[in-house]
Amino acid sequence: MQYNIEKINQIGKLLAEVVEEALKTESKEEALIGNVEMAMRESLLEIGGSALKYFLENADQEAETEIECACGGKLKYQRRRKATIWSVFDKVVYKRAYYAGCACGKGCAPVDQRYGIEPGKVTSGLAHLIALSGINKAFDDGRKWLKEYLLFEVSENTVRSETQKMGELQRQADAELVKETQAESGLQKRERSQQAVPDILYGSIDAAKVRIEPRDKKEKAVENRETWRDLKAGCWYEGEMVPNRQQSVRQKDKAQREGVVLRAINKRYFCDIEKAEQFGQLLWATGCAVGADRARILVFICDGAVWIWNLIVHYFPNAIQIVDWYHAEDRLKRIAEEAFSNLDERQVWLKNITEHLWQGRVELVIEACQPLAKKSNLAKQSLSYYGNNIERMRYAQFRASGFMIGSGIIESGCKQIVTQRLKLPGAQWNLDGAVLTAKARTAWLSGNWQKLVSARSLLPLAV
């Protein structure tokens, strides 16, 4: 928005005079800049609340005698009725024209409808800030954090409620996307669209444990009431080369080994606590939304979990499948530690076998693990792990094609969604709360937050 700078400067001069007078009244000593800043913030809060009240009360000064009701009937002017909202300027009480008297029994305040106001509730502007705290901090910590920024208090329940409202909006968007991609009309619409699709698109899937507190009475009666559920998460992304001048020390080392360093861009996360079959529908729907079904090359990089590859084979059978290099390499390190007590023997074996894996010679990796199976359970288990993923471990071939071979993007996603939020100290969730908070956080991580903010602004009008 553009503002009248001359008027803004006049207001600024008046505010400076008000703050200077207040500081002199409070203390004889000269105030430091921090005191001045806080005094101005407090004054601006008061001014904002007063200005918002004035703005809303003057939005409909000329009240009509009668207006149309949403049901088709007529509403008659009653009076200027008081309403309260909680905004970014704290509690604001204002009066506006109110209409009632229709046979449907419902009343109406045109100003509230015009500006998307729900009396007695948090405004969308404040809800946006509250929810941002809720996706980043425990709800009680978010309440304390907000007080420092807003200069007034909101309750822990308000932080929880507004955060999960955002999550519910994301859940509705996910459900609508799933519905659309399962309907023939939706698929036909996509075929007719001119949506640009990436040349090479990546996908990664993983899961992380979340502690869920049972709410059912029968479940609560059981001694061990806590259960752990898998929050399944996925990410669609593209890759770009990292210029030499932007490479970290780790990336420079990686460039020497691999020749090129790629990083993920345009990341779009999705998540849910569902069985694999239901999560697969979300995988397909979000994939269609980013053009996974039409990309020239689609590459999935995941760990060795069978349920993950089953979904990929079902929904995207033509995709290139890569088992994350770092998982496969780390397994060799653990086998070596378990099978060799002699450090020199361990290092020689590990160096040779890691090179075989790096070059995609998985058959030789399996041969090397076979004689260790008698003294190492991990080596025995790994025979099927490497055997089932031979074609997914042709790392030399994948590198030659210029593909990423690590799934760090989804592991980072799980940490950001689960570890850094759902697993905060003392956190216990019911199922719905965990899902909604996670979905709200994925929207933020994916750059879709403003879409939720816009949808949240329309909520009162949709009721």
Side-chain angles (χ1 to χ4, degrees):
M1 291 185 181
Q2 293 185 347
Y3 301 96
N4 186 312
I5 299 300
E6 186 177 343
K7 288 186 177 180
I8 291 292
N9 288 337
Q10 291 174 1
I11 295 170
K13 183 179 178 181
L14 289 172
L15 176 61
E17 293 174 357
V18 169
V19 169
E20 184 178 14
E21 184 180 337
L23 289 172
K24 285 181 179 179
T25 302
E26 188 173 309
S27 174
K28 293 181 180 179
E29 298 180 8
E30 189 170 338
L32 298 175
I33 187 62
N35 304 114
V36 176
E37 288 177 309
M38 185 57 67
M40 286 190 171
R41 286 184 64 200
E42 291 171 348
S43 300
L44 286 169
L45 187 70
E46 294 292 331
I47 291 170
S50 177
L52 183 57
K53 175 182 178 179
Y54 180 85
F55 180 88
L56 294 174
E57 289 189 338
N58 285 271
D60 63 347
Q61 283 188 329
E62 296 182 6
E64 298 182 36
T65 305
E66 192 175 76
I67 63 173
E68 284 193 13
C69 180
C71 72
K74 296 294 183 180
L75 290 165
K76 296 182 179 180
Y77 175 75
Q78 303 295 306
R79 64 188 185 282
R80 293 187 66 80
R81 186 174 177 179
K82 185 184 295 185
T84 302
I85 53 174
W86 277 263
S87 75
V88 294
F89 305 112
D90 201 0
K91 180 180 177 181
V92 174
V93 181
Y94 64 101
K95 290 183 178 181
R96 78 284 196 235
Y98 187 78
Y99 297 79
C102 181
C104 70
K106 294 182 178 180
C108 169
V111 166
D112 296 346
Q113 290 188 324
R114 186 186 314 164
Y115 295 108
I117 294 171
E118 191 174 10
K121 303 291 184 179
V122 169
T123 65
S124 59
L126 178 57
H128 167 204
L129 300 179
I130 292 174
L132 270 181
S133 74
I135 63 171
N136 285 289
K137 297 180 177 294
F139 297 131
D140 187 49
D141 285 343
R143 175 186 65 82
K144 298 172 184 175
W145 181 77
L146 279 168
K147 184 179 179 182
E148 296 300 315
Y149 282 86
L150 298 175
L151 301 183
F152 61 87
E153 288 196 46
V154 296
S155 71
E156 178 182 346
N157 283 337
T158 299
V159 178
R160 178 183 294 104
S161 173
E162 293 303 331
T163 303
Q164 293 178 2
K165 277 183 184 178
M166 290 296 194
E168 180 59 39
L169 289 170
Q170 184 59 51
R171 179 159 68 180
Q172 290 173 10
D174 288 346
E176 186 61 32
L177 192 60
V178 169
K179 182 180 178 182
E180 182 179 320
T181 51
Q182 289 180 345
E184 185 177 348
S185 59
L187 293 174
Q188 290 175 346
K189 181 180 178 181
R190 289 185 64 254
E191 288 298 324
R192 293 192 299 268
S193 73
Q194 300 299 315
Q195 177 192 5
V197 296
D199 188 47
I200 301 177
L201 181 68
Y202 291 88
S204 291
I205 306 170
D206 206 347
K209 297 289 185 183
V210 179
R211 187 172 67 175
I212 302 296
E213 182 182 1
R215 296 299 189 191
D216 183 84
K217 290 182 179 179
K218 292 181 180 178
E219 290 179 328
K220 284 188 173 184
V222 179
E223 278 189 31
N224 184 13
R225 297 184 301 166
E226 294 176 358
T227 59
W228 290 85
R229 298 283 298 274
D230 276 337
L231 183 138
K232 298 177 176 66
C235 184
W236 300 104
Y237 53 102
E238 298 166 58
E240 71 170 9
M241 291 181 59
V242 183
N244 291 334
R245 66 182 183 280
Q246 295 181 15
Q247 290 178 8
S248 64
V249 174
R250 182 183 64 82
Q251 288 173 328
K252 290 182 185 297
D253 292 339
K254 188 177 180 182
Q256 287 184 346
R257 182 175 67 171
E258 300 181 21
V260 66
V261 179
L262 298 174
R263 61 185 171 196
I265 59 171
N266 299 329
K267 295 169 283 189
R268 286 137 294 187
Y269 291 96
F270 56 96
C271 71
D272 214 329
I273 300 180
E274 284 282 7
K275 292 181 179 179
E277 292 79 5
Q278 283 71 42
F279 186 74
Q281 296 177 4
L282 185 58
L283 169 68
W284 169 250
T286 55
C288 289
V290 297
D293 57 329
R294 294 188 287 176
R296 184 177 68 86
I297 297 176
L298 176 62
V299 182
F300 275 96
I301 311 173
C302 309
D303 64 22
V306 175
W307 70 269
I308 291 176
W309 295 115
N310 285 343
L311 288 181
I312 293 168
V313 169
H314 179 74
Y315 286 101
F316 301 99
N318 296 322
I320 295 168
Q321 301 173 21
I322 303 176
V323 165
D324 170 67
W325 157 256
Y326 300 98
H327 278 86
E329 180 194 31
D330 181 68
R331 182 176 283 256
L332 292 179
K333 293 178 182 178
R334 291 185 287 121
I335 290 172
E337 290 173 357
E338 189 173 285
F340 296 96
S341 57
N342 183 286
L343 182 59
D344 291 336
E345 290 182 6
R346 179 192 305 171
Q347 290 178 339
V348 170
W349 182 88
L350 184 59
K351 181 179 179 181
N352 290 334
I353 204 66
T354 301
E355 180 61 22
H356 285 318
L357 183 64
W358 180 247
Q359 298 303 332
R361 299 189 287 261
V362 191
E363 292 84 356
L364 296 181
V365 174
I366 296 171
E367 286 182 19
C369 289
Q370 284 173 340
L372 304 180
K374 294 181 180 179
K375 54 182 176 180
S376 168
N377 287 329
L378 184 58
K380 184 177 181 180
Q381 295 166 7
S382 297
L383 294 177
S384 58
Y385 170 77
Y386 290 110
N388 292 337
N389 293 296
I390 288 177
E391 297 306 318
R392 299 182 180 119
M393 295 181 177
R394 302 298 189 192
Y395 296 116
Q397 177 184 328
F398 298 143
R399 294 196 310 276
S401 298
F403 300 147
M404 295 180 178
I405 58 172
S407 62
I409 187 67
I410 190 59
E411 292 184 24
S412 172
C414 285
K415 287 177 182 177
Q416 293 181 78
I417 298 166
V418 178
T419 308
Q420 295 178 12
R421 181 59 188 94
L422 301 186
K423 283 188 176 179
L424 289 173
Q428 287 191 1
W429 301 90
N430 62 35
L431 183 59
D432 214 41
V435 170
L436 296 181
T437 303
K439 282 185 176 290
R441 190 160 170 81
T442 58
W444 172 259
L445 295 174
S446 303
N448 290 331
W449 187 253
Q450 285 305 317
K451 289 183 180 179
L452 298 189
V453 172
S454 298
R456 171 64 178 81
S457 298
L458 298 174
L459 280 180
L461 300 181
V463 173

